[in-house]
Amino acid sequence: MEIMKSVFNLKELLGHFKDIGEHRYGLVFDYEKYEDAFYKIKTGQIKLSKEHIKIFSEDSAFPIWWKIPEINNSELDKINNILANIKPYDLNQVWGLVEIFKNIGIVSCILCVTDPNNYAIYSVPVENLLNITGTDQVERYLDYLKALKEIGNEYKIERIADVDRALWTLTNIINNDNIRNNSVYKTFYQDYVGFPNIIKKIAAKNLLKQILHLAEFQLDLAFYMYEQNEILAGIIASRVFEITIKQMCKKNYIKLIYKTDRGPRWLNMPEIVSKLLCKKAITQKESKEIEIYGDLRNKLVHGNQLDKQDLCNIKNMINWLYKMMGEYKIDIKTKSDV
């Protein structure tokens, strides 16, 4: 199925950044002033000094969100060394700055004004819009930058810092009724929600990543989703069904794949059921249930037409999986099976 091309253009929102910031908060961070002041630092003409850091503290907008700690001369030397050598998505160097400033938000501000092509301010509204993941603050920030880069490529916005500002502007349109219903911004909102786009694609991908990472909660998700959307609940339950069968085979030393002269061969579901029966790992009743839910899984995954009995069987499959996982001590947390 061909997807209609979105008419939403993120780049056009850059021109509204300042107006929306002043409308919402009465003031905005003066990026241009800082980029001018810090340009020579990035190009190596001068070094960062305490006076540069003081500029942040004296800004009318900056202290609302961040407070810079006292920086000694030794730390200042480390900062300059990092800024002189940092590369895009540089995990170690970003961590080095976090150890000094104690806050990823402050670090992102300094990196943004010294290298706006590759770094941006870490904005919580934009982070939430994109469903950014990561095990710690630096990993999340780097994932954030990579997402901005991908979006920038799509909308032909060269600097990552500008992508962030445009997205921040978009979040304010989405989250504020007064702005969203303003005649100037209403069309932006309608264009954004009305069609698929790279922003929503990244957000959906990251959300799915979070769901799949929490493998042990997938069946719970299917259970609670069933009342809202039986098909999506069934697709998630089908994934848990696959993992459950694999784990039962693993616990009973049943190989699922064999080498042949023609290449690897996977056991089909009737063969798996037969082997589980031979091992007395399941009952005759359970073997019939596996066949029924295996067929249901195939219908769901391949998008086949479902009748009322199929929809009812989705709920039955979810309840059956709870029973099987409890009775046979199935652990679906194993990463290799997720």
Side-chain angles (χ1 to χ4, degrees):
M1 181 178 66
E2 185 178 351
I3 297 175
M4 295 181 67
K5 187 172 178 61
S6 174
V7 296
F8 174 73
N9 189 348
L10 182 70
K11 195 171 186 177
E12 292 178 5
L13 284 179
L14 266 176
H16 297 275
F17 169 76
K18 189 172 182 180
D19 290 340
I20 285 184
E22 290 177 346
H23 175 83
R24 284 296 310 276
Y25 305 103
L27 73 172
V28 289
F29 192 59
D30 194 342
Y31 291 90
E32 292 180 359
K33 178 183 75 174
Y34 286 103
E35 287 175 15
D36 291 341
F38 281 73
Y39 176 76
K40 289 184 178 179
I41 296 171
K42 179 60 183 175
T43 56
Q45 298 175 54
I46 61 172
K47 289 189 175 183
L48 182 79
S49 68
K50 289 185 179 180
E51 291 302 313
H52 288 102
I53 295 174
K54 189 177 179 182
I55 296 174
F56 282 107
S57 302
E58 293 177 346
D59 184 275
S60 54
F62 187 90
I64 295 175
W65 289 283
W66 303 287
K67 183 178 179 180
I68 297 181
E70 289 293 327
I71 304 297
N72 60 43
N73 291 332
S74 174
E75 290 172 328
L76 199 59
D77 290 339
K78 290 180 182 178
I79 295 168
N80 276 296
N81 184 57
I82 290 172
L83 294 180
N85 294 287
I86 195 166
K87 298 176 178 62
Y89 320 117
D90 200 325
L91 178 70
N92 293 332
Q93 300 287 37
V94 174
W95 263 119
L97 291 173
V98 170
E99 289 172 358
I100 296 170
F101 288 103
K102 316 301 182 188
N103 185 293
I104 190 63
I106 296 172
V107 169
S108 72
C109 287
I110 290 173
L111 289 173
C112 176
V113 296
T114 54
D115 187 7
N117 288 329
N118 296 304
Y119 286 92
I121 288 181
Y122 195 16
S123 163
V124 173
V126 177
E127 176 190 24
N128 292 336
L129 176 70
L130 300 176
N131 293 318
I132 295 299
T133 59
T135 56
D136 56 58
Q137 58 182 327
V138 174
E139 186 178 311
R140 287 193 297 275
Y141 179 52
L142 297 186
D143 286 349
Y144 181 85
L145 295 175
K146 290 171 185 175
L148 296 188
K149 181 67 174 177
E150 187 176 350
I151 294 167
N153 289 340
E154 176 74 14
Y155 290 106
K156 296 180 172 54
I157 305 174
E158 293 183 5
R159 306 192 323 164
I160 286 182
D162 290 333
V163 178
D164 175 62
R165 288 167 212 173
L167 287 171
W168 183 87
T169 305
L170 174 63
T171 64
N172 279 277
I173 294 173
I174 294 171
N175 298 325
N176 186 277
D177 289 339
N178 291 333
I179 296 176
R180 187 170 61 250
N181 294 320
N182 182 290
S183 59
V184 176
Y185 304 115
K186 193 171 185 178
T187 302
F188 282 113
Y189 178 73
Q190 291 172 339
D191 290 345
Y192 173 74
V193 300
F195 299 90
N197 59 59
I198 187 69
I199 302 166
K200 291 193 284 188
K201 176 184 175 182
I202 289 172
K205 181 178 70 174
N206 286 335
L207 181 60
L208 183 61
K209 189 191 302 181
Q210 293 176 52
I211 292 171
L212 294 180
H213 179 69
L214 298 173
E216 64 268 38
F217 299 120
Q218 287 183 47
L219 191 57
D220 295 333
L221 180 65
F223 178 84
Y224 291 114
M225 185 179 286
Y226 181 80
E227 297 299 326
Q228 304 298 321
N229 192 315
E230 300 106 320
I231 305 300
L232 284 178
I235 291 171
I236 295 169
S238 295
R239 181 61 177 139
V240 179
F241 174 81
E242 292 174 5
I243 297 170
T244 300
I245 299 302
K246 285 181 181 178
Q247 288 285 35
M248 292 185 72
C249 290
K250 185 176 181 180
K251 287 168 72 76
N252 289 280
Y253 305 101
I254 297 171
K255 292 174 63 177
L256 292 173
I257 186 169
Y258 291 85
K259 292 181 179 179
T260 70
D261 293 338
R262 296 183 179 181
R265 176 184 176 276
W266 287 84
L267 294 183
N268 58 37
M269 191 57 69
E271 291 171 326
I272 291 173
V273 170
S274 176
K275 287 183 177 291
L276 286 170
L277 278 171
C278 287
K279 294 268 189 177
K280 297 184 178 181
I282 56 174
T283 65
Q284 285 288 345
K285 179 175 180 290
E286 288 167 346
S287 73
K288 298 297 182 185
E289 290 167 335
I290 290 173
E291 289 178 0
I292 290 170
Y293 298 133
D295 289 340
L296 178 60
R297 175 262 176 209
N298 292 338
K299 286 185 179 181
L300 287 160
V301 170
H302 297 295
N304 294 357
Q305 187 69 34
L306 301 176
D307 57 28
K308 288 185 178 179
Q309 184 57 51
D310 291 324
L311 295 177
C312 183
N313 275 343
I314 290 173
K315 191 169 187 178
N316 294 338
M317 177 169 65
I318 292 170
N319 291 328
W320 179 82
L321 284 166
Y322 275 120
K323 178 180 79 71
M324 293 292 284
M325 289 165 61
E327 187 172 334
Y328 292 102
K329 304 294 186 293
I330 302 299
D331 179 10
I332 66 171
K333 296 179 186 179
T334 307
K335 288 186 178 180
S336 60
D337 289 323
V338 176

